[in-house]
Amino acid sequence: MSGKRDMKKSSIIKKKGLFDHLNQITAVQSPNYWDKISEEDKKTYSTYMINRFLSMKMEWVDFVNEIQKHWNELSPKEHYKIYSSVLPKGKKYLKYIKRKNEMKLPRWFLDVIVKNYECSLREADDYVDTLLMTAQGVLEIREVLTKYGIDPIRWKELPFNIE
């Protein structure tokens, strides 16, 4: 034996998530960002979640509200370009306001959210908190569960009502 090992390095590329996109919008603001990311990364860009997090900065609430009014007219690329060109550049702490009473979410439900949004379990929990704040968000949860074929009977296991 020569003592050398055949070591293959795996080139696993992490998909971009919500916080990667938020960082690009606020801190990096690359005008070519959207053209440089993969189709898989583009799928993880949620205009709804971006709006929710950006609205946590009080100075931006009115502006985010104006952008939000046009959610169905803007493509994700246009959404990114507007925010990255208008918001001041720099690292921003976007304090997320969580629900007061922690509810225990079933693992199967979190797994569906992780798969749909291609995010971590922690991010999935944040997504659920944010989605539950509005009627539109609750409808989005219903659509995700329907998309993954989760029987409405199982929805009753959730600590909130989506019916």
Side-chain angles (χ1 to χ4, degrees), residues 1-6:
M1 285 188 128
S2 64
K4 292 183 180 178
R5 293 185 182 180
D6 184 1

Side-chain angles (χ1 to χ4, degrees), residues 23-141:
N23 187 54
Q24 285 292 324
I25 288 170
T26 57
V28 179
Q29 296 184 337
S30 168
N32 303 346
Y33 173 69
W34 197 261
D35 299 323
K36 291 182 179 179
I37 62 174
S38 71
E39 288 302 315
E40 293 229 352
D41 290 337
K42 289 176 183 175
K43 290 178 186 174
T44 65
Y45 188 95
S46 170
T47 56
Y48 175 78
M49 293 302 289
I50 298 287
N51 288 337
R52 292 297 299 163
F53 270 85
L54 292 178
S55 70
M56 297 297 160
K57 187 134 179 88
M58 290 307 295
E59 298 86 7
W60 298 347
V61 169
D62 292 333
F63 179 65
V64 171
N65 189 41
E66 285 303 312
I67 298 301
Q68 205 165 271
K69 289 177 184 177
H70 304 285
W71 70 271
N72 60 341
E73 302 163 19
L74 294 173
S75 70
K77 179 179 182 175
E78 293 167 328
H79 187 263
Y80 168 80
K81 286 196 177 251
I82 289 170
Y83 279 136
S84 64
S85 62
V86 174
L87 296 178
K89 185 176 183 177
K91 282 270 189 201
K92 302 290 186 250
Y93 177 67
L94 303 171
K95 181 167 175 48
Y96 180 75
I97 302 167
K98 286 191 92 152
R99 62 184 174 251
K100 292 198 188 249
N101 51 351
E102 291 292 318
M103 59 180 129
K104 182 73 175 149
L105 298 171
R107 179 59 190 244
W108 64 264
F109 174 68
L110 286 172
D111 289 341
V112 168
I113 299 298
V114 164
K115 187 173 183 180
N116 187 68
Y117 292 105
E118 299 178 354
C119 62
S120 68
L121 279 171
R122 185 184 62 78
E123 288 174 318
D125 195 47
D126 288 344
Y127 274 39
V128 172
D129 284 343
T130 303
L131 290 168
L132 288 175
M133 291 178 171
T134 65
Q136 179 186 355
V138 173
L139 286 174
E140 189 169 331
I141 291 173

